[in-house]
Amino acid sequence: MLVAAAVCPCPPLLVPLVAAGAAGELDAARAACTDALGLLAAARPDRLVVVGPAEESGRRTYPQGTWGTFRGFGVDIDVRLGRGAGQGDGDAPDSALSDPRLPSSLAVAAWLLERTGWSDAPIEGLGVGEPLQAERCIEIGRDIAARAERVAVLAMGDASACRTLKAPGYLDERAAPFDASVARALGDADVAALRALDTELAHELKASGRAPWQVLAGAAEEAGLSGALLYEDAPYGVGYLVATWS
């Protein structure tokens, strides 16, 4: 049963060394993410499932201890999703730089979890491909909710990438209304609204969070949770949202 959830954006720029001189521009987003993860810890889950967008189609699971890296963004930072059996602190082994390793969305989640000192429950990562249809996302979410008596979900993903002329997807007048509707749904823990998101429009607006949000909707169907929107902004023309469900 799902007992709590958090929604966070997943740009590598959340990592200050990646953002470099622009790091301060996302301080408010980082603070909101920290607050959201605090709620997850307070729920005392038996298992945390971190769901994020991945480049491949379908889905792929990543066990606790899987490594990720930000070396592709020009910084020598490695992370891992919790601590695997027999692992201690230290640098990533050479094998961390080969597959399987975390997609960037889950690497950002691992960085956030390390930053907040998560040690409250075992962690599992799940990468979901953008083409995954809504019905399949809902099914995956239902399966996640049934894995333990007390399950928490951390859903990583961005809203549209088309909010300004300089945005990665250029300006699209549909982007702001789409993001506003997602913000309302996340803030109200509106499972039906998330389930009904227009997948084609989300794809056109480059909203990477669509599939993870719909996985969350499936997990929350029988949970009866209430929501709170902690952060909503569009720096760099990309919609970033932070929300909690409890």
Side-chain angles (χ1 to χ4, degrees):
M1 172 68 76
L2 185 74
V3 296
V7 175
C8 292
C10 62
L13 289 173
L14 276 179
V15 180
L17 286 180
V18 174
E25 297 175 7
L26 290 180
D27 280 347
R30 293 184 196 98
C33 290
T34 297
D35 291 343
L37 294 184
L39 179 139
L40 291 187
R44 298 185 179 276
D46 300 320
R47 174 171 294 274
L48 172 63
V49 180
V50 184
V51 185
E55 293 183 2
E56 68 270 9
S57 60
R59 61 172 179 165
R60 182 172 184 174
T61 59
Y62 298 87
Q64 180 163 315
T66 302
W67 287 90
T69 183
F70 294 98
R71 298 186 190 192
F73 299 97
V75 295
D76 188 14
I77 299 177
D78 299 312
V79 293
R80 61 173 168 240
L81 194 64
R83 179 171 296 179
Q87 288 182 316
D89 295 327
D91 295 332
D94 292 341
S95 59
L97 305 181
S98 61
D99 290 332
R101 64 181 178 190
L102 297 173
S104 65
S105 64
L106 297 187
V108 172
W111 180 83
L112 288 171
L113 290 164
E114 286 186 3
R115 180 173 180 259
T116 55
W118 179 274
S119 60
D120 298 85
I123 304 174
E124 175 187 338
L126 177 64
V128 288
E130 191 276 338
L132 205 63
Q133 293 301 306
E135 295 81 2
R136 184 61 181 135
C137 291
I138 298 298
E139 292 173 0
I140 293 169
R142 290 170 181 158
D143 176 69
I144 288 172
R147 292 184 188 178
E149 184 175 346
R150 299 181 63 81
V151 175
V153 168
L154 172 55
M156 306 294 294
D158 302 336
S160 72
C162 304
R163 293 283 293 272
T164 66
L165 291 173
K166 294 183 178 181
Y170 198 65
L171 177 64
D172 190 314
E173 294 180 355
R174 302 171 297 172
F178 174 86
D179 288 358
S181 68
V182 172
R184 284 193 298 270
L186 293 175
D188 294 339
D190 190 336
V191 169
L194 292 177
R195 189 168 51 226
L197 285 176
D198 187 329
T199 57
E200 183 175 350
L201 177 59
H203 172 72
E204 292 174 358
L205 296 177
K206 303 183 185 301
S208 68
R210 191 276 305 172
W213 299 332
Q214 290 186 320
V215 170
L216 171 59
E221 281 183 336
E222 305 297 328
L225 303 180
S226 59
L229 187 66
L230 305 186
Y231 177 87
E232 178 186 7
D233 203 355
Y236 321 119
V238 181
Y240 295 154
L241 302 166
V242 180
T244 57
W245 293 14
S246 60

